[in-house]
Amino acid sequence: MIRAYKLYNDEEGHSRVAVGTVTDRTLTDAKAIQFKVTPPGTFYDWHPAPTLQYVLTLEGTLEFTTSTGETFTLTAGDVLIAADTAGKGHKWQMIGEYPWKRAYVLVNTEDDLNFVPNE
């Protein structure tokens, strides 16, 4: 299984994070894919996810902060599920000397997500 973090909105609209995995047992119906590279030292202030999407980190290390103050570190090989599409959202900053290379995979609905939270 592959480590995954799911950003989501709680009942009050705040961004939260759940830690878990994605498995190889489920196919996810995707509607688009986009690749992006961001240089080291970059940060992105508060924002909600623009759409429901997987963010597959190919290279780079980032620290994310949710609107409730939770933090986590995303590294190469991790999957981020960005489902916090409302409210203040989250912010991130790059850590280290490598660029953030990633693929955004847009999915149709939360029913399509392949996420198993840790117990």
Side-chain angles (χ1 to χ4, degrees), residues 43-55:
F43 72 95
Y44 194 29
D45 213 357
W46 297 109
H47 64 285
T51 188
L52 180 62
Q53 60 192 348
Y54 288 102
V55 183

Side-chain angles (χ1 to χ4, degrees), residues 22-113:
V22 291
T23 70
D24 59 1
R25 291 176 275 161
T26 303
L27 290 177
T28 300
D29 187 27
K31 61 183 178 180
I33 188 169
Q34 177 186 26
F35 297 93
K36 191 164 184 177
V37 177
T38 301
T42 303
F43 72 95
Y44 194 29
D45 213 357
W46 297 109
H47 64 285
T51 188
L52 180 62
Q53 60 192 348
Y54 288 102
V55 183
L56 312 176
T57 296
L58 308 172
E59 182 178 52
T61 303
L62 296 94
E63 181 180 79
F64 277 78
T65 303
T66 69
S67 63
T68 55
E70 299 168 293
T71 61
F72 63 96
T73 302
L74 195 67
T75 62
D78 289 338
V79 173
L80 175 68
I81 299 169
D84 62 336
T85 57
K88 185 176 182 179
H90 57 274
K91 64 181 180 176
W92 55 259
Q93 68 178 29
M94 306 255 327
I95 299 171
E97 61 188 71
Y98 297 101
W100 185 21
K101 296 179 181 180
R102 63 207 180 271
Y104 292 101
V105 181
L106 284 60
V107 296
N108 293 312
T109 68
E110 283 214 43
D111 295 337
D112 291 333
L113 294 177

Side-chain angles (χ1 to χ4, degrees), residues 6-25:
K6 181 181 179 185
L7 290 170
Y8 66 94
N9 293 113
D10 66 16
E11 307 80 37
E12 298 170 357
H14 300 293
S15 180
R16 304 294 306 257
V17 64
V19 181
T21 59
V22 291
T23 70
D24 59 1
R25 291 176 275 161

